[in-house]
């Protein structure tokens, strides 16, 4: 069932299906919405769970934030959702960006029953010297454009420049969501991993280039009660690349 409520001053959309005693919250990746996790939702329903499948603000049918959010704000929204729905011991599943929110939430809430991280983000990648040269060059250009054009006009020009230089996720986003993406991708949640007390399942595609398998191994090492399952030949959407294997592992963990 599709639902809309007001959270953090925004119109927030999610689906709420099933009537199980246990509830799993599904959190999609960047550039996606709740429909991306439809196959996972079906598997969870087969396991007897109530399934809450969200559209993060700025995606799907949820309203875009009016200022620059980070992982903190997205996590606070899910905390408010869980409280509003009266969910006492949630199971959290996060794919890619949704994994960031799952990590931060679970690190703060020992009552989380289980955590499932699917090709999850959260480990800040190592950057080359060339990367930092580009970053500081851009900051210098930004400063000069503010002086020449003023803040509002300069930001419009900078957004066009970012879109040309950025990823497809970045290019396809609105100006506000581009700024949010720039913020969240640089947030390193390594510090939060040892505070995750919930039993944690890591599911990964071994050919994932967006969040490489090395990230999963680091998460497995730092989360106290974690296990990793990886699939050869699968990429960043391992649950779509190997739906049968993914469903079997998820069912085993949920039951």
């Amino acid at each position: 069932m599709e639902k809309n409520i007001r959270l953090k001053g925004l119109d927030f959309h999610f689906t709420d299906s099933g009537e199980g005693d246990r509830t799993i919250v599904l959190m999609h990746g960047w550039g996606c919405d709740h429909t991306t996790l439809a196959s996972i939702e079906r598997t969870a329903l087969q396991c007897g769970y109530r399934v809450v499948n969200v559209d993060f603000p700025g995606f799907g049918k949820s309203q875009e934030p009016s200022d620059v959010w980070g992982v903190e704000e997205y996590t606070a929204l899910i905390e408010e959702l869980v409280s509003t729905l009266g969910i006492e011991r949630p199971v959290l599943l996060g794919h890619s960006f949704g994994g960031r929110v799952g990590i931060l939430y679970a690190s703060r809430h020992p009552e989380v029953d289980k955590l499932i991280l699917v090709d999850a983000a959260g480990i800040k990648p190592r950057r080359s010297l060339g990367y930092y040269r580009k970053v500081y060059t851009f900051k210098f250009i930004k400063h000069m454009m503010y002086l020449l054009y003023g803040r509002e006009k300069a930001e419009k020009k900078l957004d066009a420049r970012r879109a040309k230089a950025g990823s497809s996720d970045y290019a396809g986003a609105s100006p506000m969501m581009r700024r949010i993406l720039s913020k969240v991708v640089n947030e390193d949640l390594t510090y939060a991993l040892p505070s995750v007390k919930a039993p944690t399942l890591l599911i990964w595609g071994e050919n994932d280039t967006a969040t490489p398998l090395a990230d999963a191994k680091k998460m497995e090492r730092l989360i106290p009660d974690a296990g990793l399952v990886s699939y050869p030949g699968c990429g960043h959407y391992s649950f779509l690349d190997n739906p049968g294997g993914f469903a079997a592992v998820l069912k085993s963990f949920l039951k």
Side-chain angles (χ1 to χ4, degrees):
M1 179 184 297
E2 297 200 16
K3 295 185 177 181
N4 292 282
I5 58 175
R6 194 82 176 165
L7 293 177
K8 301 298 181 187
L10 301 175
D11 293 328
F12 180 74
H13 177 265
F14 64 102
T15 63
D16 192 345
S17 307
E19 298 179 351
D21 295 332
R22 297 170 295 176
T23 302
I24 184 170
V25 180
L26 306 185
M27 299 175 290
H28 62 79
W30 193 270
C32 302
D33 60 27
H34 76 278
T35 62
T36 309
L37 305 183
S39 62
I40 299 177
E41 179 175 335
R42 289 192 294 272
T43 300
L45 288 170
Q46 290 168 6
C47 293
Y49 275 75
R50 174 191 180 189
V51 183
V52 174
N53 194 355
V54 310
D55 281 349
F56 278 125
F59 302 99
K61 297 179 182 178
S62 290
Q63 185 180 350
E64 183 178 291
S66 58
D67 52 6
V68 181
W69 279 25
V71 179
E72 173 68 39
E73 288 79 8
Y74 279 99
T75 303
L77 180 138
I78 297 300
E79 288 172 335
E80 186 172 332
L81 174 68
V82 168
S83 176
T84 300
L85 297 181
I87 303 170
E88 295 183 356
R89 289 184 56 81
V91 174
L92 303 178
L93 183 148
H95 171 245
S96 194
F97 170 71
R100 290 182 182 271
V101 176
I103 290 167
L104 191 55
Y105 189 114
S107 73
R108 296 175 174 176
H109 296 274
E111 73 275 11
V112 170
D113 188 40
K114 295 178 180 180
L115 175 64
I116 304 153
L117 300 175
V118 183
D119 301 295
I123 304 295
K124 188 174 181 179
R126 293 182 178 180
R127 306 294 194 183
S128 66
L129 185 61
Y131 170 84
Y132 287 106
R133 188 182 298 116
K134 289 180 181 178
V135 168
Y136 288 112
T137 299
F138 185 82
K139 286 184 177 180
F140 174 75
I141 292 171
K142 178 179 178 179
H143 176 72
M144 295 304 297
M145 290 181 73
Y146 273 26
L147 292 176
L148 288 171
Y149 300 110
R151 185 182 184 89
E152 185 174 348
K153 188 174 181 180
E155 279 296 339
K156 289 181 179 179
K157 290 179 176 292
L158 288 165
D159 279 334
R161 184 185 179 97
R162 291 185 186 107
K164 288 180 180 179
S167 65
S168 58
D169 280 344
Y170 191 93
S174 70
M176 176 56 71
M177 296 309 291
R178 288 174 189 166
R179 294 172 198 171
I180 292 174
L181 177 59
S182 295
K183 181 175 182 178
V184 299
V185 297
N186 287 303
E187 294 186 56
D188 189 358
L189 298 176
T190 301
Y191 73 92
L193 297 173
S195 298
V196 175
K197 304 307 179 188
T200 301
L201 172 64
L202 304 159
I203 308 180
W204 237 261
E206 292 183 7
N207 293 349
D208 190 340
T209 56
T211 53
L213 186 61
D215 290 1
K217 292 178 179 178
K218 186 172 184 178
M219 291 179 185
E220 183 186 27
R221 186 171 70 252
L222 294 177
I223 296 173
D225 184 8
L228 170 63
V229 176
S230 64
Y231 296 111
C234 295
H236 190 54
Y237 291 81
S238 58
F239 60 98
L240 298 178
D241 292 340
N242 186 355
F246 184 95
V249 169
L250 182 60
K251 285 179 180 179
S252 177
F253 187 66
L254 290 179
K255 290 182 177 180

